[in-house]
Amino acid sequence: MLVTGLFIITFVVQAFEIPSSSMEQTLLIGDHVFVNRIQFAPKSSWVGPLLPYRDVHRQDIVVFLSPETPGLYVVKRIIGVPGDRIHLRNGVVYRNGQALQEPYVDHDRDTFDEYRNEFPSVPPTGDPNIWVNWAVDLPSYIHGEDIVVPPGHYFAMGDHRGVSLDSRYWGFIPQENIIGRPMFIYWSFETPEDQYTKTAWSDRMLFLGKIVLHFFDKTQWRRTLQIVK
């Protein structure tokens, strides 16, 4: 039974911690989620009946390896699949000519940023958050007023649009970079916004001590076992 449990934890589901506010209010800093690693993986007959495979869909929340930063895990929502035509006007996303109704989006802290809100009509120049490789490649994907998602890739954005660095800043997600889909929050702890930018061991130990002392009163119990969607 122990071996089976370890196999499932290692190969079927994986635990991830949310370090930034880019997916608020869907996922908060300090949320701990279990991610289904099998659903979007290449098909294998032995596991299909237990965790059915399927393609990545629009609106799926996915965990993936950053195209820009090797080894960095990122979580965003899929906005465009291969062949989709995407553009933004005044912060509103248009997909294949239709304005999206996105009740999950949080525009808090959003300010008028021409590149962010009028993508891709504003050239990617002068913003240090834009990956230089993407600034070079972006024009080749623009057709008319849209950016067209190429085969084998996806366009993703954070739900907290005013702070999210996403496909507008580093480009498309290759299919092979996708790790899986968050299933549910198994634990959530009230965490300062800058906690995951601290790298000193003293800061980490102080936060660990806070968890021990305030496990019960700082755990966000209402989020426990909440399905991610």
Side-chain angles (χ1 to χ4, degrees):
M1 190 68 177
L2 175 60
V3 173
T4 301
L6 290 174
F7 178 85
I8 291 172
I9 291 173
T10 304
F11 296 103
V12 179
V13 298
Q14 185 173 352
F16 285 91
E17 188 173 357
I18 305 302
S20 77
S21 62
S22 69
M23 282 297 294
E24 290 180 345
Q25 295 292 329
T26 307
L27 292 169
L28 306 182
I29 299 174
D31 282 350
H32 293 65
V33 299
F34 276 131
V35 170
N36 179 345
R37 292 178 55 93
I38 296 296
Q39 192 166 44
F40 301 143
K43 291 185 178 181
S44 176
S45 59
W46 67 268
V47 77
L50 300 176
L51 291 170
Y53 296 97
R54 68 168 174 82
D55 293 332
V56 177
H57 295 164
R58 302 181 185 107
Q59 269 65 63
D60 279 341
I61 296 174
V62 299
V63 173
F64 56 94
L65 286 168
S66 167
E68 177 185 10
T69 308
L72 176 66
Y73 290 101
V74 185
V75 58
K76 303 290 181 188
R77 188 182 297 272
I78 298 296
I79 301 300
V81 299
D84 279 342
R85 304 174 68 96
I86 306 289
H87 75 266
L88 280 77
R89 288 295 176 269
N90 197 28
V92 176
V93 178
Y94 289 79
R95 183 174 58 221
N96 301 325
Q98 300 294 317
L100 301 188
Q101 302 299 318
E102 300 184 287
Y104 45 79
V105 168
D106 183 352
H107 289 285
D108 176 49
R109 279 189 271 176
D110 204 359
T111 57
F112 185 76
D113 180 309
E114 282 196 320
Y115 179 78
R116 180 190 295 274
N117 294 324
E118 305 296 325
F119 182 86
S121 64
V122 176
T125 56
D127 189 329
N129 293 311
I130 300 171
W131 187 27
V132 62
N133 291 23
W134 178 235
V136 172
D137 293 342
L138 173 58
S140 65
Y141 296 106
I142 297 176
H143 296 265
E145 64 179 1
D146 296 304
I147 185 171
V148 180
V149 184
H153 293 75
Y154 299 91
F155 187 90
M157 298 175 70
D159 287 357
H160 195 173
R161 295 286 161 79
V163 302
S164 177
L165 300 180
D166 45 44
S167 283
R168 294 168 291 180
Y169 291 86
W170 37 250
F172 303 111
I173 307 168
Q175 170 71 46
E176 59 269 22
N177 283 36
I178 293 180
I179 302 298
R181 180 180 62 84
M183 298 184 294
F184 63 90
I185 299 166
Y186 67 87
W187 182 51
S188 183
F189 189 79
E190 291 182 19
T191 303
E193 187 167 340
D194 63 346
Q195 178 59 40
Y196 296 101
T197 63
K198 299 176 180 178
T199 57
W201 277 106
S202 57
D203 291 324
R204 296 180 181 180
M205 294 305 295
L206 283 172
F207 186 63
L208 180 60
K210 180 179 179 180
I211 292 175
V212 172
L213 290 173
H214 297 282
F215 178 83
F216 291 102
D217 61 303
K218 295 295 184 181
T219 289
Q220 301 183 97
W221 298 103
R222 62 183 175 80
R223 299 187 62 77
T224 304
L225 302 184
Q226 182 173 304
I227 302 298
V228 178
K229 57 184 180 178

